[in-house]
Amino acid sequence: MKSLLFVGKALLFSCSYIFLGHFLSIGDLFPPENELDQALFQTTEDFHSDLSELENRLTTYAQLAANDHTPVNDLREIHTSCREQFKRTEFLLEYIEPATVRLHLNGAPLPKTEPSVPEVVVIEPGGLQTLDEMVSEPEIDRKAIANIASKLLKDYQLLYRQVSARRLQHRHVFEGAREEILRIFTLGVTGFDTPGTGAALPESRIALQTIAKAYAGYSNSAAARAPQANARITEALQLGDEMLATNDFDGFDRLRFLREVINPLTENLPRVQAALEIESIADYTLLPHPVNPQPSTLFDADFLNADYYANLSDSPNRKARLELGELLFFDPILSNNLKTSCASCHQPGKAFTDGRQRSLSNDGKSMVQRNAPTLVNSVFAEKYFHDLREEHLERQMNHVVANELEFATDFITIEKRLRQSEEYKALFAAAYADQPKYQLSKWSISDALSNYVMSLRSQNSVFDRFARGESEELAEEVRRGFNVFMGKATCGTCHFAPTFSGLVPPHFAESESEVLGVPADSLWTNAELDADPGRIANRLPRDEAYFYAFAFKTPTVRNIAVTGPYMHNGVYTDLRQVMEFYNLGGGAGIGINVPHQTLPGGALNLSETEIADVITFMESLTDYESLNHTPAKLPSFPDNEAWNNRKVGGDY
């Protein structure tokens, strides 16, 4: 009985603490002992106050939306008010509860899926981004807005109760701030987060001001322990606030903002965190993380962690595995006809593409279904292939081996062939000495190839060097083109920095696909949609609401100057055609009726100069020459002289 009474009192105190957290300062229960604790205490107070105010505004939003007589301007004003208040909570709320915020509060206006038993549950679009589009329409759908606003309030109230019970830590402030800095640059000032109202710069300013307010409490301590880093942070926050005070979206200098605001913050926040002896996420887990936790800028070559994406077994023999993988990549011994290799479609001299509209099949005459994408930086993805059908880098090989138009063979045959070469057996024995049971197997073959593909990384282009401050030389057309790409042209809202692919920041754990309405022919008169169904062909019918028909992975535009023809079907032979297609509004803009087109169908109204500048910027991302290496010769087969005549890279 006494134990039950004790438990009851403990629960009552716990509930009271959560309840009082909305009204009493946490300092009343846990008084700050030093300057750092005072900073955390004040940030916690501000956070809880902002969370409470967001609930108030969302309540008003739901009430106004439910009233059919509410003037449209009033709805738009409360929407703006809610979004601004959300931005005051974003850097901590997103860090603490990223999945909930993404799915229910401020996710992109597209359906999402959530694993469930016995089937996948489709979550329809909702939240602030969806409302941002809806309230901006000339004729608003009041009923739909009311339904979403009501659901948003309920979802937020559940989230609020969860977050209110959490006790903030110093690392939440620093790591949440660094993550938010990346979000401001990649999703904020690009307009991704405000698809309808276009309030990108004012909202980004509020988010940056919230970070500045939280950091101010740590600044004195940082000045004593890391004066140079603290000064750079303080200066960058002040300059960022000044730059974002303008509301000129098209004219905003994103490149200057990157170099003088974003770079100093992403580099120096971890330095101050370490100087103040604040633990980091790396102290809590041995698992790889998508973003390197060490100080680095967005365009550093090691900003993203390739090991996280490749998910290959670690080994002191990695170099040997990579070199073996390179041999296998160029060896037609893997294909049924001994004439086709991986390099047939992924040629180093063309940034690991083949320059064809669609790749040649193994007969050397007909074509496969799609265009060969570049392998440079391809490791940085959640899923692989144009239709995102494979989640694991090392399992890509399965699809190529079994495909009747490609290698048209099987791993048993490949393994038997390789065992007939003393050179190959020795190379596998050295590379996989720590795996005697699987030394020459389906796994080791795939693993070696994956280690090679993983090594095909390059982020040292003319633009990269300028972006991270290593060079001051950059053509004016490239500067203008980058700003248009990341701004008016909205390219950066699908081709996200720094990979300029569909890898979504700031978590870099999801690869997006898009429905563009790509035509079957480059002639746009009476244009018809290309028949390739894309992503949906690999999914169950219950997923149809999310995995739209004609959706394809968003590829990188790095090395795009040498990786044409473009689109999954190679329909466009030059970049000007591609830009015109986007400028008109994709498939919808050239008269194709595409259900669920994710690309806005309206014209971008880019001038000829702006189009030329964007192309020049994309061309400045060319950087593959250091990877242009081909083996001098292939391993021999003493007992099969005919095999020794095979060509490095294959016959076609």
Side-chain angles (χ1 to χ4, degrees):
M1 187 67 169
K2 285 184 179 179
S3 62
L4 287 175
L5 182 60
F6 175 79
V7 172
K9 286 182 177 179
L11 287 172
L12 178 61
F13 176 79
S14 177
C15 293
S16 298
Y17 169 68
I18 294 171
F19 177 72
L20 289 170
H22 301 298
F23 302 99
L24 299 179
S25 72
I26 293 179
D28 292 334
L29 299 175
F30 304 102
E33 296 180 357
N34 54 47
E35 191 172 47
L36 294 186
D37 286 347
Q38 177 62 40
L40 182 61
F41 156 67
Q42 187 59 58
T43 297
T44 302
E45 289 276 278
D46 293 340
F47 183 48
H48 279 273
S49 176
D50 286 332
L51 288 172
S52 179
E53 179 57 25
L54 180 55
E55 182 181 38
N56 293 337
R57 296 189 191 189
L58 289 173
T59 300
T60 303
Y61 198 170
Q63 291 170 345
L64 291 176
N67 186 345
D68 291 340
H69 302 292
T70 299
V72 173
N73 284 342
D74 288 0
L75 276 178
R76 289 173 178 159
E77 285 179 13
I78 188 60
H79 172 79
T80 298
S81 175
C82 285
R83 282 206 56 88
E84 290 177 350
Q85 188 59 27
F86 167 70
K87 288 294 170 179
R88 295 184 179 95
T89 70
E90 186 177 43
F91 94 95
L92 287 170
L93 197 56
E94 279 267 18
Y95 188 80
I96 295 169
E97 292 287 347
T100 305
V101 174
R102 179 176 58 87
L103 285 174
H104 301 290
L105 190 56
N106 192 46
L110 296 169
K112 299 287 184 182
T113 58
E114 197 172 64
S116 184
V117 178
E119 61 182 23
V120 172
V121 175
V122 177
I123 301 173
E124 292 301 324
L128 290 168
Q129 273 199 49
T130 301
L131 287 167
D132 201 75
E133 284 190 333
M134 297 175 73
V135 300
S136 303
E137 294 290 338
E139 296 293 327
I140 66 169
D141 186 338
R142 288 179 176 271
K143 184 176 180 180
I145 291 173
N147 288 339
I148 291 176
S150 175
K151 183 179 184 302
L152 175 60
L153 174 61
K154 292 174 184 175
D155 289 340
Y156 177 73
Q157 287 172 334
L158 289 172
L159 175 63
Y160 186 16
R161 285 200 289 272
Q162 289 177 313
V163 173
S164 296
R166 298 283 294 274
R167 189 176 180 185
L168 291 182
Q169 300 173 25
H170 293 295
R171 73 177 185 87
H172 295 159
V173 177
F174 278 84
E175 290 168 2
R178 190 185 190 216
E179 192 176 277
E180 183 71 4
I181 295 301
L182 297 173
R183 185 179 291 110
I184 287 171
F185 183 72
T186 57
L187 305 182
V189 300
T190 61
F192 175 90
D193 207 26
T194 49
T197 60
L201 301 188
E203 287 193 8
S204 295
R205 188 185 188 198
I206 290 171
L208 192 68
Q209 287 174 338
T210 306
I211 291 171
K213 185 178 181 182
Y215 181 77
Y218 294 89
S219 186
N220 287 337
S221 298
R225 299 195 195 182
Q228 194 171 21
N230 177 67
R232 294 210 70 195
I233 290 172
T234 304
E235 291 166 4
L237 288 169
Q238 182 177 346
L239 176 60
D241 186 60
E242 293 170 2
M243 290 186 70
L244 291 168
T246 178
N247 202 21
D248 181 7
F249 181 83
D250 290 350
F252 185 69
D253 191 344
R254 291 165 177 82
L255 191 51
R256 182 190 174 205
F257 188 65
L258 169 68
R259 296 207 341 157
E260 299 182 28
V261 177
I262 301 301
N263 285 354
L265 292 173
T266 55
E267 272 189 307
N268 290 289
L269 281 168
R271 288 174 179 157
V272 168
Q273 182 178 352
L276 296 180
E277 298 180 351
I278 295 171
E279 70 276 16
S280 75
I281 191 171
D283 299 324
Y284 285 84
T285 177
L286 296 176
L287 296 174
H289 191 268
V291 177
N292 174 15
Q294 301 305 314
S296 60
T297 66
L298 185 63
F299 286 91
D300 278 3
D302 63 350
F303 177 77
L304 292 176
N305 180 8
D307 285 330
Y308 167 84
Y309 298 95
N311 195 29
L312 301 175
S313 59
D314 196 16
S315 170
N317 301 327
R318 176 168 282 187
K319 186 173 184 292
R321 294 180 179 186
L322 187 162
E323 292 171 350
L324 172 58
E326 182 181 44
L327 283 174
L328 292 170
F329 188 89
F330 287 92
D331 199 336
I333 197 72
L334 303 183
S335 65
N336 183 52
N337 63 6
L338 301 173
K339 294 183 178 181
T340 306
S341 74
C342 302
S344 296
C345 299
H346 301 285
Q347 300 166 19
K350 297 175 182 174
F352 292 86
T353 61
D354 59 10
R356 298 179 179 275
Q357 183 177 13
R358 289 180 291 157
S359 297
L360 280 179
S361 71
N362 52 29
D363 64 7
K365 299 175 183 178
S366 60
M367 293 188 292
V368 300
Q369 187 179 17
R370 295 168 185 155
N371 184 269
T374 179
L375 295 185
V376 180
N377 296 320
S378 65
V379 66
F380 298 121
E382 173 206 13
K383 296 183 177 74
Y384 303 95
F385 293 107
H386 279 297
D387 55 13
L388 294 168
R389 67 183 181 271
E390 181 52 67
E391 296 181 3
H392 301 280
L393 182 68
E394 64 182 334
R395 290 209 306 236
Q396 285 189 99
M397 190 61 186
N398 296 1
H399 301 259
V400 179
V401 167
N403 192 313
E404 288 299 316
L405 297 178
E406 297 183 65
F407 284 6
T409 184
D410 57 74
F411 278 97
I412 294 175
T413 301
I414 292 172
E415 184 182 333
K416 285 180 178 178
R417 285 181 180 177
L418 295 176
R419 287 187 183 280
Q420 296 178 52
S421 168
E422 293 302 321
E423 286 183 68
Y424 262 129
K425 285 197 295 183
L427 290 169
F428 274 97
Y432 295 93
D434 54 343
Q435 296 285 346
K437 188 176 179 180
Y438 302 101
Q439 211 160 80
L440 205 172
S441 63
K442 174 182 177 180
W443 171 76
S444 62
I445 294 166
S446 297
D447 183 78
L449 282 162
S450 298
N451 271 280
Y452 174 66
V453 172
M454 175 187 169
S455 76
L456 300 176
R457 308 194 303 272
S458 189
Q459 198 162 312
N460 199 36
S461 67
V462 170
F463 176 81
D464 291 316
R465 293 193 293 274
F466 181 84
R468 49 184 186 248
E470 295 174 2
S471 166
E472 294 302 320
E473 296 182 10
L474 195 71
E476 188 59 35
E477 303 95 303
V478 176
R479 296 174 191 244
R480 294 196 307 261
F482 173 77
N483 284 326
V484 175
F485 182 98
M486 296 291 282
K488 180 180 178 181
T490 70
C491 310
T493 63
C494 294
H495 297 274
F496 303 106
T499 62
F500 296 112
S501 71
L503 188 63
V504 186
H507 301 124
F508 301 100
E510 177 187 4
S511 294
E512 279 196 347
S513 60
E514 301 287 346
V515 180
L516 304 177
V518 176
D521 191 275
S522 60
L523 298 176
W524 293 340
T525 304
N526 300 318
E528 293 185 4
L529 184 66
D530 184 77
D532 190 334
R535 190 174 181 180
I536 199 171
N538 306 296
R539 304 294 172 181
L540 298 174
R542 63 173 178 255
D543 286 329
E544 188 168 352
Y546 175 55
F547 299 110
Y548 296 132
F550 310 108
F552 294 89
K553 180 181 180 179
T554 304
T556 182
V557 299
R558 286 183 174 274
N559 295 303
I560 199 168
V562 294
T563 57
Y566 307 103
M567 305 301 185
H568 66 273
N569 59 354
V571 67
Y572 298 129
T573 57
D574 63 69
L575 289 174
R576 182 162 290 278
Q577 289 177 307
V578 176
M579 286 299 300
E580 277 299 332
F581 173 73
Y582 282 110
N583 196 30
L584 291 170
I590 60 174
I592 298 175
N593 181 20
V594 190
H596 308 299
Q597 179 171 307
T598 54
L599 180 73
L604 294 172
N605 297 314
L606 299 177
S607 68
E608 285 296 317
T609 299
E610 288 170 329
I611 289 174
D613 287 344
V614 170
I615 291 173
T616 304
F617 157 65
M618 292 192 293
E619 290 172 342
S620 78
L621 295 171
T622 303
D623 175 33
Y624 67 95
E625 293 88 350
S626 63
L627 305 172
N628 193 359
H629 175 263
T630 303
K633 69 180 191 68
L634 299 172
S636 64
F637 291 82
D639 298 330
N640 199 327
E641 196 60 36
W643 289 2
N644 293 331
N645 295 324
R646 66 196 191 284
K647 182 179 176 183
V648 175
D651 290 328
Y652 43 77

